[in-house]
Amino acid sequence: MDLDQEWKNLSIEFNSEVDKIAIANITIDEKSHSLLQDLLFKLKWKLRWIRIIDLPILTMAFFVNGDLKYLLIFSFITYEIFRAMAVSDLKKIKTSVDYNTNTKEVLINNLAAVKRILRSETLYGYIFIPLGGPTGLLAYRLYVHQTFEKVFSLPHFFMHAALLSIIGIPLIYVAKKMNDSVFSAPLRNLNEKIKSLMD
């Protein structure tokens, strides 16, 4: 038996297997990276839209008089609180390709962070979408009557606000459908990738 030749053969076989494993890992990481980039792109645009909505609200607060100013500032702060929580979770998502980490664990943690952001938004929607109509009515009345005291003393104000709130409830379903159309496919793909790594 030629031990030197056997050693060379074993070495070639071993290096070949290592190369195959390395190529497989690169493929997994590239696919994972692509899935995460898709989700992050959509999440970042969602957070940009919050700014597109709330910065004009803050700007208006500087140009109006009376209690409407406080309502607008409160609305701005509410949007920013949700945005800050979402950004905090967004920062926990790892996007760089790191060959020293366990791909499955990174993807599971990233998926959990994305779901937290979307769950927070859903909760925010359940609370504030029905309040959109009444808040708009309150803003208009404050623009006309200047103070909360005068607005709240108007006849039928609370009845009108309640009706607008009820009309706003179906918009929760519309918002959920819009969210699903944007995020369901990327989330499903990421779940499938995690399941494939568990096999």
Side-chain angles (χ1 to χ4, degrees), residues 7 15 23-24 56 68 75 80 91 93 100 105 111 134 156 172:
W7 176 254
N15 287 335
I23 289 167
L68 177 57
S75 299
E80 282 298 310
K91 287 179 179 176
I93 297 174
N100 297 316
E105 286 180 17
L111 181 62
H156 311 300
I172 294 172

Side-chain angles (χ1 to χ4, degrees), residues 61-183:
F62 291 108
F63 294 100
V64 297
N65 298 315
D67 290 348
L68 177 57
K69 182 187 298 288
Y70 303 115
L71 177 66
L72 294 174
I73 291 171
F74 175 76
S75 299
F76 169 80
I77 290 170
T78 305
Y79 275 112
E80 282 298 310
I81 288 171
F82 165 73
R83 188 179 184 281
M85 290 189 301
V87 168
S88 173
D89 279 324
L90 200 63
K91 287 179 179 176
K92 294 174 186 174
I93 297 174
K94 295 180 181 177
T95 56
S96 57
V97 179
D98 183 357
Y99 300 109
N100 297 316
T101 57
N102 183 322
T103 305
K104 182 181 73 174
E105 286 180 17
V106 170
L107 291 181
I108 289 171
N109 292 336
N110 287 345
L111 181 62
V114 170
K115 284 183 174 178
R116 271 196 305 274
I117 294 169
L118 295 176
R119 194 164 44 244
S120 298
E121 189 201 26
T122 301
L123 180 61
Y124 183 90
Y126 282 145
I127 296 169
F128 289 100
I129 288 176
L131 292 177
T135 303
L137 176 65
L138 178 58
Y140 170 71
R141 296 296 189 196
L142 283 172
Y143 178 76
V144 175
H145 300 286
Q146 298 294 306
T147 67
F148 285 112
E149 184 180 1
K150 286 180 182 176
V151 170
F152 292 153
S153 65
L154 291 171
H156 311 300
F157 171 77
F158 289 103
M159 185 179 74
H160 293 154
L163 285 172
L164 286 171
S165 180
I166 292 168
I167 291 168
I169 290 173
L171 293 176
I172 294 172
Y173 176 78
V174 174
K176 185 178 183 309
K177 283 293 179 187
M178 289 172 66
N179 234 15
D180 289 345
S181 71
V182 174
F183 288 100

Side-chain angles (χ1 to χ4, degrees), residues 40-54:
L40 281 174
F41 176 79
K42 289 171 179 175
L43 284 171
K44 284 176 181 175
W45 261 108
K46 186 176 282 289
L47 296 179
R48 283 189 191 106
W49 271 109
I50 292 173
R51 276 280 160 85
I52 289 168
I53 292 168
D54 73 2

Side-chain angles (χ1 to χ4, degrees), residues 7-24:
W7 176 254
K8 285 179 182 176
N9 291 342
L10 184 61
S11 178
I12 290 167
E13 190 177 326
F14 177 75
N15 287 335
S16 174
E17 288 302 315
V18 168
D19 287 343
K20 284 179 186 174
I21 291 167
I23 289 167

